[in-house]
Amino acid sequence: MLAGELYRPDAELAADHTAAEHWMARYNAAGASSAGELHALLSERFRKVGKAAVIRPPFFCDYGSNISLGDGVFLNFNCVILDVVTVVIGDRTQIGPAVQIYTADHPRDAETRRAGLEFGRPIRIGSDVWIGGGAIILPGVTIGDGALVGAGSVVTRDVASGTIVAGNPARPRAS
């Protein structure tokens, strides 16, 4: 799965996902907790949680164990990260409410999909990025340092450092 190769969800993955669901129930019920308590909960599940990283509940993910957050990362309410492979978010990146980050992908031919096979493509979001509310980041995308993604955008391709993109599909815009 993590290598980006075709896989069929099995009992072990189902158990990992169930554990993540139990963790999400705890995390999402902890909305009134201190920043330190929320950070400790994130650290239980995520691969890496940088200093002063914040995710406002509710938050949803597939596993959590494939997510790495840099220092000072902020995700607003109702974000979704489908982390069947790695998702790395760099330092000081700000992500608006209801942003969806999808690493999960599916074969293009119906026969392979029908066989229950799927795969994932990693997502890397650089440092000092701002992603506006409701944006969707598709599998395999890299967003460079200092980039800005407009609210509601659908990011289908890599975004170069310092670039502003917006729209569906997201395209470069003048600053």
Side-chain angles (χ1 to χ4, degrees), residues 132-157:
I136 298 173
I137 313 302
L138 294 184
V141 165
T142 294
I143 300 175
D145 294 343
L148 188 149
V149 176
S153 296
V154 178
V155 182
T156 62
R157 299 179 192 273

Side-chain angles (χ1 to χ4, degrees), residues 7-33:
Y7 68 91
R8 181 175 286 109
D10 60 12
E12 182 180 349
L13 289 177
D16 287 347
H17 183 70
T18 298
E21 287 178 333
H22 289 290
W23 173 84
M24 281 183 285
R26 286 179 35 236
Y27 188 81
N28 291 333
S33 298

Side-chain angles (χ1 to χ4, degrees), residues 72-76 89-97 99 125-133 147 149:
V73 167
F74 175 80
L75 279 74
N76 215 325
I89 301 173
D91 296 340
R92 299 169 306 280
T93 287
Q94 298 182 32
I95 297 178
V99 167
I125 300 171
S127 296
D128 301 306
V129 172
W130 177 25
I131 300 175
V149 176

Side-chain angles (χ1 to χ4, degrees), residues 24-154:
M24 281 183 285
R26 286 179 35 236
Y27 188 81
N28 291 333
S33 298
S34 71
E37 291 168 322
L38 289 174
H39 193 274
L41 281 168
L42 290 172
S43 297
E44 284 180 17
R45 193 84 202 148
F46 285 16
R47 177 172 291 179
K48 176 185 178 253
V49 181
K51 195 170 55 173
V54 174
I55 297 179
R56 287 180 151 178
F59 167 76
F60 306 94
C61 63
D62 271 333
Y63 302 100
S65 57
N66 297 318
I67 301 170
S68 295
L69 305 177
D71 294 342
V73 167
F74 175 80
L75 279 74
N76 215 325
F77 304 106
N78 279 317
C79 286
V80 173
I81 300 179
L82 301 185
D83 64 311
V84 300
V85 294
T86 58
V87 174
V88 177
I89 301 173
D91 296 340
R92 299 169 306 280
T93 287
Q94 298 182 32
I95 297 178
V99 167
Q100 300 172 59
I101 299 171
Y102 303 151
T103 65
D105 208 338
H106 301 278
R108 302 306 182 253
D109 66 286
E111 187 174 327
T112 306
R113 285 194 308 274
R114 201 172 19 254
L117 294 169
E118 53 192 58
F119 64 100
R121 294 188 289 146
I123 291 176
R124 174 154 179 72
I125 300 171
S127 296
D128 301 306
V129 172
W130 177 25
I131 300 175
I136 298 173
I137 313 302
L138 294 184
V141 165
T142 294
I143 300 175
D145 294 343
L148 188 149
V149 176
S153 296
V154 178

